[in-house]
Amino acid sequence: MTGMTFVSSDEIRTRFSQALSAMYQAEVPQYGTLLELVEQVNQETLAANPVLAERLEFAGELGRLGVERHGAIRVGTAEELAMLRRLFAVMGMQPVSYYDLSEAGVPVHATAFRPIDDAALKRNPFRVFTSLLRLELIESAELRERAAAILAERDIFTPSARELIALHEEQGGLSDTQADRFVEEALETFRWHQDATVDHKTYQALLEEHRLIADVVCFRGPHINHLTPRTLNIDDVQRRMPDVGVNPKAVIEGPPRRACPILLRQTSFKALEEQVRFDGEHQGTHTARFGEIEQRGAALTAKGRTLYDRLLATARERTAGLDNQAYQQTLNEIFVEFPDSETQLRCEGLAFFDYRLTDKGREEGAECGGDEEMEALIDQGLVSARPIVYEDFLPVSAAGIFQSNLGGDSHDTYAGNANREVFEAALGASVTDELELYRALEKDSIERVRECLAKASKLEIDG
């Protein structure tokens, strides 16, 4: 392979995400409608708020806004999860964070495959939230064994996809032609298959245990169940979805609308009822795939997440059954306790920030010592601090999306069964701690500021 030119993982990720988006739009036309609505809302939001547009441009986020997507799939076995890890590695995507959805009554645990390098995120922050079914949480031993036997008979990867993944690992990359073949073959894992692999009776038994279990077990592959564009105003999208013939879920998941957005807010249109042929030629329907929208805010520190989780737990107790308007009003009342200015978030250590020299800082230079002096430099206009975008997910919000699109199934018997060790054993690797990634980004930005100021100070002295 000497002399072969390899395509970058960023480029392969971009090719794949674009191909996946085109495939999903062909399979779910409402997804295309959703993309048009989100683009329109984003353009209107930027036009009405030039300060926001300037900040996004300065942070390198404006360019990625139109291509940003996250997908979600659910797999049934450890082997499938481990192979997906290798598949996503071809695209420069690593497993980040462990999510226990059993805490919200959904029998899966998950990770998110995504790029972790800042430059790669700015190029294309494609993410895939990947859940592993937890068969051990199924109470019926007979049903558990039947599901395991069904899953053991399938292979969700094409032979060529397996070969190209192995080739990538062997030679350290893929050529342009190989990369195109990889995208084509990898797409097959995510494609919708109308033919179920089980008879209707088996499907119904798994469906009654939990709709998500039936979705994972009864088909040839995990089929992408949603692709999510990023909006700058999710409340406006939620309000306007019915105007374009799209039926939104009842409430927006996550924190309330704020002057300084935090973490992740999500909504979706209701899952489609799709025609299915079951084994034995029985005709029926399956409901699993839907359209999701997200709005991303600041990544919170451990202290910030503790406060958020406490307030959200209070909100969940007080908002059951409310419509979106009443839900959001109650949520706002509860979250008054959470500071809503960048200065407060920064000074109270609730969110991670990216520090950069301003034009004035580059022109004047200064000496910079400890963290206390960083605030002084901000006050002097020499340094700017902007929240670092949250690139990850929220287990309660994810479960809320799942439940609203799978008939609202929730089982208290699943709750409290986190098992990160078992998940990582199935994955064949450790998941990366998201807080460590954000902490490193913040630390690096501070060090870059200090180095630049130190150089400027040295030049003044030498001069």
Side-chain angles (χ1 to χ4, degrees):
M1 295 299 172
T2 303
M4 177 178 288
T5 300
F6 295 137
V7 178
S8 71
S9 58
D10 289 345
E11 173 61 23
I12 298 175
R13 184 172 67 257
T14 295
R15 292 183 191 182
F16 179 80
S17 63
Q18 290 174 345
L20 185 65
S21 184
M23 183 184 79
Y24 193 65
Q25 186 167 344
E27 293 178 347
V28 182
Q30 277 193 326
Y31 167 68
T33 302
L34 196 65
L35 291 183
E36 292 175 0
L37 175 60
V38 168
E39 183 179 5
Q40 183 177 356
V41 168
N42 285 349
Q43 289 176 349
E44 292 172 2
T45 302
L46 291 169
N49 192 341
V51 173
L52 174 63
E54 184 179 347
R55 289 187 60 169
L56 291 174
E57 179 69 32
F58 178 75
E61 290 182 50
L62 203 56
R64 78 182 216 179
L65 188 62
V67 300
E68 188 161 349
R69 301 285 184 274
H70 99 244
I73 58 173
R74 308 153 184 161
V75 296
T77 69
E79 193 280 332
E80 291 175 352
L81 181 66
M83 194 64 186
L84 277 173
R85 174 180 57 80
R86 296 170 61 194
L87 181 148
F88 287 126
V90 176
M91 296 183 269
M93 300 162 69
Q94 305 299 321
V96 178
S97 292
Y98 170 77
Y99 302 95
D100 171 32
L101 274 68
S102 74
E103 68 179 70
V106 181
V108 301
H109 45 186
T111 191
F113 290 96
R114 69 168 178 88
I116 60 176
D117 176 78
D118 191 45
L121 284 166
K122 285 182 171 57
R123 172 76 183 271
N124 188 332
F126 180 55
R127 318 167 187 87
V128 180
F129 190 83
T130 304
S131 304
L132 175 63
L133 179 63
R134 303 185 65 183
L135 290 177
E136 76 275 12
L137 298 182
I138 299 177
E139 291 186 5
S140 167
E142 181 181 354
L143 195 61
R144 190 164 60 242
E145 292 168 5
R146 175 67 176 135
I150 295 167
L151 290 169
E153 293 174 0
R154 75 179 187 182
D155 186 351
I156 66 174
F157 305 96
T158 69
S160 292
R162 289 181 176 274
E163 291 171 5
L164 287 161
I165 291 168
L167 185 62
H168 178 272
E169 293 168 344
E170 176 186 337
Q171 63 187 22
L174 296 176
S175 68
D176 188 68
T177 301
Q178 291 167 347
D180 282 341
R181 283 183 53 221
F182 167 81
V183 168
E184 182 179 346
E185 296 295 331
L187 274 182
E188 295 305 310
T189 296
F190 298 80
R191 190 180 300 279
W192 166 252
H193 298 287
Q194 192 174 17
D195 293 317
T197 57
V198 302
D199 59 33
H200 188 259
K201 181 180 179 180
T202 301
Y203 171 82
Q204 198 63 37
L206 292 167
L207 191 74
E208 290 172 2
E209 171 66 22
H210 196 290
R211 286 179 176 268
L212 185 143
I213 297 174
D215 182 60
V216 174
V217 174
C218 298
F219 297 89
R220 287 169 49 194
H223 49 254
I224 192 82
N225 58 66
H226 65 264
L227 271 179
T228 304
R230 177 181 171 187
T231 183
L232 299 174
N233 189 338
I234 199 168
D235 299 276
D236 201 18
V237 174
Q238 175 90 351
R239 178 182 60 82
R240 292 163 63 170
M241 282 166 70
D243 297 340
V244 295
V246 176
N247 183 23
K249 71 184 295 294
V251 299
I252 297 171
E253 302 286 347
R257 183 171 188 164
R258 296 163 41 90
C260 298
I262 57 171
L263 296 174
L264 178 67
R265 304 182 72 204
Q266 296 172 286
T267 190
S268 70
F269 65 68
K270 295 294 185 67
L272 308 175
E273 189 172 276
E274 300 180 271
Q275 295 297 314
V276 173
R277 288 186 296 268
F278 294 97
D279 195 26
E281 298 303 314
H282 182 98
Q283 298 289 324
T285 60
H286 178 66
T287 305
R289 301 197 301 160
F290 53 92
E292 187 175 293
I293 315 99
E294 65 186 18
Q295 181 174 350
R296 293 187 172 271
L300 299 185
T301 62
K303 180 181 178 182
R305 281 300 297 266
T306 298
L307 177 57
Y308 170 79
D309 290 341
R310 177 170 64 79
L311 296 177
L312 185 67
T314 301
R316 293 184 73 198
E317 293 174 359
R318 290 174 47 186
T319 56
L322 297 181
D323 63 23
N324 190 56
Q325 183 174 351
Y327 176 87
Q328 294 299 331
Q329 181 177 341
T330 304
L331 204 60
N332 273 310
E333 293 169 358
I334 293 168
F335 269 80
V336 165
E337 187 178 340
F338 205 113
D340 196 15
S341 78
E342 290 184 6
T343 300
Q344 284 179 292
L345 291 175
R346 190 177 67 250
C347 292
E348 294 185 29
L350 297 173
F352 292 104
F353 283 78
D354 175 54
Y355 295 87
R356 302 187 187 190
L357 279 181
T358 61
D359 289 340
K360 180 181 178 182
R362 280 188 289 271
E363 289 171 3
E364 297 184 8
E367 292 186 9
C368 180
D371 293 340
E372 297 80 12
E373 294 183 39
M374 191 66 69
E375 287 301 316
L377 293 169
I378 292 171
D379 292 340
Q380 296 168 41
L382 301 172
V383 171
S384 68
R386 298 289 181 261
I388 293 174
V389 175
Y390 186 64
E391 305 284 358
D392 297 289
F393 298 93
L394 303 171
V396 173
S397 294
I401 295 284
F402 281 9
Q403 289 166 357
S404 68
N405 285 289
L406 293 169
D409 292 18
S410 179
H411 293 249
D412 292 338
T413 53
Y414 296 149
N417 283 283
N419 200 328
R420 177 170 174 164
E421 293 77 14
V422 166
F423 183 85
E424 290 182 330
L427 182 68
S430 298
V431 298
T432 300
D433 185 335
E434 63 180 64
L435 292 181
E436 290 301 320
L437 291 176
Y438 297 123
R439 190 175 292 113
L441 285 173
E442 182 179 77
K443 181 182 177 182
D444 288 347
S445 73
I446 292 173
E447 290 178 352
R448 283 195 300 271
V449 167
R450 287 176 175 162
E451 289 173 2
C452 290
L453 292 173
K455 288 179 182 177
S457 178
K458 186 176 186 302
L459 287 173
E460 288 182 16
I461 294 172
D462 292 345

